[in-house]
Amino acid sequence: LLMTILNYAKMGLRNKDEPSREKAFTRILDAANRGAKITNTVLGLARNRSGDMEPTNLVPLIEDTLVLLEREMQKYRVAIETQFDAVPNVMAAGNQIQRLMLNLLTNARQAIGEVGTILIRIAFEKKTNSVVLTVRDSGQGIAAENLPKIFEPFFTTKNGHDSSGKGGTGLGLSACKEIVDQNHARVRVESTVGKGTAFSIRFPAIDAESNANVE
């Protein structure tokens, strides 16, 4: 962001014509607004997301996390679709859930490569009294023989880091499983080679009064 602002400031100084200057100022304003948005999100997470288990609404937590990956998704032309229902709170450690989402979304983006879709859904499942967080990607999928191994430490199907400098250690999904267990949740994985993968995480719902208002 800083380099974007500096480059367009230089362009505005170099070019004296009004259209070029207006373009430069518009891009500087856009970058500054994005920087402020990210800063506010990070400060909010630092202020409000503790490592302690506490009543947590997953919807605003996931919305904040998406801000941090917005530019990366745009770079690889990966569209994020969301379906967020009104849901009751769950007992969770906010900073751990943010790490979980960053890992799952990075993994999904890498499975897609370039150009694709990630669907994130948060819904209340009445029959199990659970809040279900689903991350579904349109990526390459996982072979059936590898599915039982994906949460094992150091297991990976990647050759190494991609152009973003991420992936290839085999620790991402292992860390996800550890976080799921620590937050008393359960994870289910469905995948089809060539079509994509879905991770569904069920958190026990709390707040009986809230549950009564959720259809």
Side-chain angles (χ1 to χ4, degrees), residues 162-173:
D162 67 5
S163 58
S164 68
K166 301 173 183 176
T169 64
L171 294 175
L173 290 180

Side-chain angles (χ1 to χ4, degrees), residues 56-192:
T56 302
N57 187 326
L58 292 181
V59 172
L61 179 59
I62 302 310
E63 288 175 337
D64 285 346
T65 306
L66 290 176
V67 172
L68 303 178
L69 288 174
E70 183 179 353
R71 179 53 61 91
E72 180 175 337
M73 296 302 177
Q74 290 175 349
K75 176 182 176 181
Y76 291 95
R77 293 178 292 171
V78 173
I80 299 289
E81 297 180 2
T82 58
Q83 296 176 0
F84 294 160
D85 295 344
V87 294
N89 286 345
V90 301
M91 286 298 292
N95 62 356
Q96 291 185 359
I97 302 306
Q98 185 195 20
R99 283 178 49 221
L100 169 69
M101 281 303 296
L102 289 172
N103 279 343
L104 285 179
L105 291 171
T106 298
N107 195 71
R109 199 276 301 157
Q110 291 173 328
I112 290 170
E114 290 192 34
V115 187
T117 303
I118 298 174
L119 171 66
I120 305 170
R121 187 164 190 265
I122 301 174
F124 177 63
E125 189 175 80
K126 193 170 185 178
K127 65 180 180 180
T128 60
N129 193 38
S130 301
V131 176
V132 184
L133 168 62
T134 301
V135 177
R136 183 184 301 275
D137 67 62
S138 63
Q140 60 190 3
I142 303 169
E145 63 269 22
N146 288 332
L147 276 176
K149 308 173 188 176
I150 61 173
F151 293 118
E152 295 177 4
F154 307 111
F155 177 80
T156 181
T157 59
K158 302 182 181 76
N159 293 324
H161 297 313
D162 67 5
S163 58
S164 68
K166 301 173 183 176
T169 64
L171 294 175
L173 290 180
S174 174
C176 287
K177 184 61 167 61
E178 183 178 345
I179 291 170
V180 167
D181 292 342
Q182 289 173 351
N183 285 267
H184 309 297
R186 300 181 68 180
V187 60
R188 180 180 179 182
V189 186
E190 297 176 335
S191 188
T192 303

Side-chain angles (χ1 to χ4, degrees), residues 21-39:
R21 287 197 161 191
E22 183 175 349
K23 178 183 178 183
F25 284 132
T26 299
R27 294 297 175 84
I28 290 171
L29 180 61
D30 288 344
N33 283 334
R34 173 171 167 73
K37 186 178 179 183
I38 291 175
T39 299

